[in-house]
Amino acid sequence: MIDFILAPWPWWFSGLIISSIMFILLFFGKSFGFSANLRTMCSIGGAGKRVSFFDFDWKKQIWNIVFLIGSVIGGYIAYEFLTVGEHPVQISENTIQDLNELGFSKPTTLQPMELFELSALLEWKKLLLLAIGGIFVGFGARYAGGCTSGHAISGISDLQIPSFIAVIGFFIGGLIMTYVFFPMIFPAIL
Amino acid sequence: MKFIKYLVVGILFGIVMAKSEAISWYRIQEMFRFQAFHMYGIIGTAVVLGIIGVALIKKFKLRDIGGNTIKFYPKNKSIARYLIGGIIFGLGWALSGACPGPMVVNIGYGFLSLGVVFLFAIIGTYLYGLLRDKLPH
């Protein structure tokens, strides 16, 4: 039992819990959609005075912001209490090799330190990449009306055609970034 | 106090995303390179159980804790917004290796740079709000 908890969790267990989270929220009368928080945060910051899209009753979304705060705490608990030491993510050898050709070293933890160690924020090219990544995620999620939780999980569970289209879009974008842009970007900066 | 239950569910979400390595940039790369089943297994399991559960909720007209029948609202019909928006999201997802949920879970896990990525995601959402009327939907 302890061994199960401390080791990385298998996909089936993760999928089971994630669908349970969707159902728990449905029984609370809410719907699972994480990126709605990005819009809410713009509204809390006063964006509704200038842009009508943010002029809505964000108080109805406080539950979702609380969920977000919980997920930060969950990340902390996972690291501090449910994991022993640093161990590399258990990805396939093929991925390690492909990424190595782009300039990434072998994983030592969950994230590539080339991109996510704090000092990388001081290198303008890397900061620019992280900024573009974030802006695209935030822009695209709202344009498509949802992110992975809202479309890929909630929407497809309800067999909604728009969510299928959005998920196809997620993959088109992800494949273009991986196979077209990564070979142009990373060998040049890593 | 009525919000405590959402905090608990959020904590569960953060733990499971971190412990199943779904918050890892490497895992997203592995997914887009079709080199492992892991991420497909996570999303696939959630979706299969989700489809069954949603069908049962509809069939038995189950109610939420407020006593209201659980309703599902069909999303507006369109191709352009879902496809174009989806592609933009996908480009960002592969680059930053995280969608909005995993970004903040990473902050708790100790990868504070993902907090910067999340700030830019808020800016991206603001830009969408600014440009919304000019975009095809």
Side-chain angles (χ1 to χ4, degrees):
Chain A
M1 178 71 181
I2 297 284
D3 290 343
F4 180 87
I5 290 172
L6 294 180
W9 292 359
W11 53 265
W12 58 268
F13 188 67
S14 179
L16 174 72
I17 304 272
I18 290 168
S19 66
S20 306
I21 288 169
M22 180 185 82
F23 288 121
I24 292 168
L25 292 177
L26 283 172
F27 281 104
F28 288 163
K30 312 294 182 196
S31 63
F32 184 30
F34 201 95
S35 64
N37 284 317
L38 296 166
R39 183 187 181 199
T40 307
M41 286 177 162
C42 289
S43 300
I44 292 174
K49 289 189 205 98
R50 270 161 282 128
V51 184
S52 65
F53 180 65
F54 301 108
D55 184 17
F56 75 107
D57 185 11
W58 56 263
K59 292 196 173 65
K60 290 200 171 110
Q61 278 286 320
I62 291 177
W63 72 269
N64 211 346
I65 297 285
V66 174
F67 180 89
L68 180 151
I69 294 166
S71 64
V72 179
I73 299 171
Y76 174 76
I77 292 173
Y79 176 77
E80 198 61 37
F81 304 110
L82 304 178
T83 308
V84 179
E86 288 282 346
H87 49 78
V89 63
Q90 298 177 346
I91 50 164
S92 111
E93 278 302 322
N94 293 329
T95 311
I96 294 175
Q97 202 172 343
D98 286 357
L99 291 172
N100 192 41
E101 282 165 25
L102 294 174
F104 288 93
S105 51
K106 223 169 142 63
T108 55
T109 173
L110 275 189
Q111 302 292 12
M113 296 324 281
E114 290 93 339
L115 276 181
F116 295 117
E117 67 188 342
L118 283 175
S119 60
L121 293 174
L122 301 174
E123 297 174 50
W124 70 269
K125 285 178 184 167
K126 290 179 179 175
L127 179 61
L128 186 66
L129 281 183
L130 297 182
I132 292 170
I135 287 173
F136 277 31
V137 166
F139 188 97
R142 218 59 273 131
Y143 193 176
C147 58
T148 325
S149 53
H151 277 310
I153 310 286
S154 299
I156 291 187
S157 290
D158 189 30
L159 301 175
Q160 296 228 13
I161 303 293
S163 294
F164 281 103
I165 300 172
V167 173
I168 290 169
F170 295 170
F171 266 83
I172 295 173
L175 294 176
I176 292 174
M177 180 54 71
T178 300
Y179 288 102
V180 180
F181 290 114
F182 272 24
M184 295 161 70
I185 298 170
F186 288 114
I189 67 163
L190 292 180
Chain B
M1 282 306 282
K2 64 178 179 173
F3 291 117
I4 290 281
K5 56 183 183 289
Y6 300 108
L7 191 73
V8 174
V9 184
I11 290 173
L12 180 65
F13 174 74
I15 291 175
V16 76
M17 293 300 282
K19 283 302 298 178
S20 60
E21 301 183 335
I23 62 168
S24 166
W25 183 95
Y26 291 113
R27 283 291 188 191
I28 304 304
Q29 265 303 296
E30 185 187 54
M31 174 182 78
F32 282 129
R33 291 172 188 276
F34 304 101
Q35 287 165 330
F37 180 70
H38 189 77
M39 291 304 301
Y40 296 99
I42 293 176
I43 299 172
T45 305
V47 166
V48 169
L49 296 174
I51 290 171
I52 297 168
V54 169
L56 292 173
I57 288 174
K58 287 180 176 174
K59 184 167 176 5
F60 295 105
K61 299 194 170 57
L62 297 184
R63 292 168 187 277
D64 62 27
I65 51 169
N68 306 305
T69 311
I70 297 174
K71 289 197 189 74
F72 297 89
Y73 300 95
K75 297 182 198 295
N76 296 329
K77 294 264 179 296
S78 159
I79 292 180
R81 84 171 279 193
Y82 301 113
L83 195 60
I84 303 169
I87 290 172
I88 295 170
F89 179 85
L91 288 166
W93 188 12
L95 182 55
S96 53
C99 36
M103 283 178 195
V104 304
V105 178
N106 266 294
I107 300 173
Y109 200 88
F111 293 107
L112 302 180
S113 292
L114 269 302
V116 176
V117 180
F118 187 72
L119 288 179
F120 280 104
I122 297 174
I123 294 172
T125 295
Y126 182 74
L127 291 175
Y128 167 75
L130 274 182
L131 300 173
R132 189 169 70 122
D133 297 336
K134 299 185 179 75
L135 299 167
H137 277 83

